[in-house]
Amino acid sequence: MFLNYLKNFFTQKIIKKTIANVKPVSGDQKIRTVGIIFDESYFYEREALVLELIQKGIQEANIKVLVFKDKIKKNEQFDYPTFSHKDLSWTATFDKSEVKEFTAQKFDLLINYYDTEKSPLLLVSNQSKANFKVGFSSIDKKLNHFTITTNAENYKVFVEELFKYLKILNKL
């Protein structure tokens, strides 16, 4: 318990140093590939959100999902990439190959679908090579290029607002 607190504390310090290096949005590149980072501790309707994106015109093959869980049981199996606090090292790096692949992939849009700051989620979002990052306004403003003011349970409102502004920004 205490060691997890210390690990989070050191990770937060590293994130605060690197979060200032977020690059501004470059160009008016169209959205084709989408990465989504979920916090499954609070939001369980992952499939419904992905379905909303598909209905808005994003192809299912172009959507990649990474899910964070606070605790993963020993023999628990998933049909999607999942990570937890255990996968985070003391030097704010991830050992899990799924997380490394996700952060290395270049997305046109990264949706940070979590509204509480947790160091592993912030770190993955910060390390992502996405061109345009979108998230909730309750998260550090320096992490995302665009924020939406709503809560995670209102995924339909989030998607509607997201696509409304993506059209205004000429990203669709």
Side-chain angles (χ1 to χ4, degrees):
M1 178 87 174
F2 181 70
L3 291 177
N4 282 336
Y5 176 77
L6 278 176
K7 187 192 299 186
N8 279 335
F9 176 76
F10 289 124
T11 304
Q12 288 285 4
K13 285 184 75 165
I14 291 170
I15 291 169
K16 285 184 194 260
K17 286 180 186 175
T18 61
I19 208 165
N21 299 331
V22 174
K23 299 174 193 131
V25 180
S26 60
D28 54 334
Q29 184 177 0
K30 303 293 183 194
I31 303 295
R32 295 196 188 357
T33 57
V34 177
I36 309 172
I37 303 171
F38 284 104
D39 182 2
E40 204 169 79
S41 308
Y42 299 106
F43 183 74
Y44 303 104
E45 299 182 47
R46 174 182 49 85
E47 294 89 6
L49 179 69
V50 171
L51 196 72
E52 285 285 323
L53 292 173
I54 293 169
Q55 290 174 351
K56 293 290 186 182
I58 305 293
Q59 293 182 3
E60 187 174 6
N62 293 339
I63 300 173
K64 301 285 187 241
V65 175
L66 184 65
V67 177
F68 174 79
K69 290 187 74 142
D70 282 325
K71 300 228 183 225
I72 297 177
K73 296 178 180 134
K74 192 171 190 173
N75 294 326
E76 198 170 2
Q77 297 292 321
F78 301 101
D79 57 342
Y80 45 85
T82 307
F83 71 106
S84 70
H85 282 285
K86 284 186 175 181
D87 300 315
L88 181 63
S89 73
W90 284 84
T91 57
T93 58
F94 288 98
D95 300 327
K96 203 163 192 178
S97 62
E98 290 97 344
V99 179
K100 288 179 180 179
E101 290 171 13
F102 188 87
T103 56
Q105 189 167 357
K106 196 147 176 103
F107 296 110
D108 297 327
L109 173 67
L110 177 69
I111 299 174
N112 295 315
Y113 206 82
Y114 53 89
D115 56 0
T116 55
E117 290 187 0
K118 294 181 181 176
S119 54
L121 291 166
L122 295 172
L123 187 62
V124 170
S125 298
N126 191 35
Q127 290 178 347
S128 174
K129 306 286 187 272
N131 293 331
F132 190 65
K133 297 178 184 179
V134 176
F136 290 96
S137 59
S138 59
I139 303 300
D140 193 341
K141 308 293 186 257
K142 296 180 228 165
L143 185 64
N144 296 310
H145 298 111
F146 183 72
T147 59
I148 296 174
T149 306
T150 186
N151 56 5
E153 291 80 27
N154 296 333
Y155 67 92
K156 289 187 180 197
V157 172
F158 182 87
V159 172
E160 286 296 323
E161 290 293 313
L162 173 62
F163 277 84
K164 179 171 74 173
Y165 285 105
L166 287 176
K167 285 179 186 174
I168 291 171
L169 295 170
N170 200 23
K171 297 258 183 208
L172 293 177

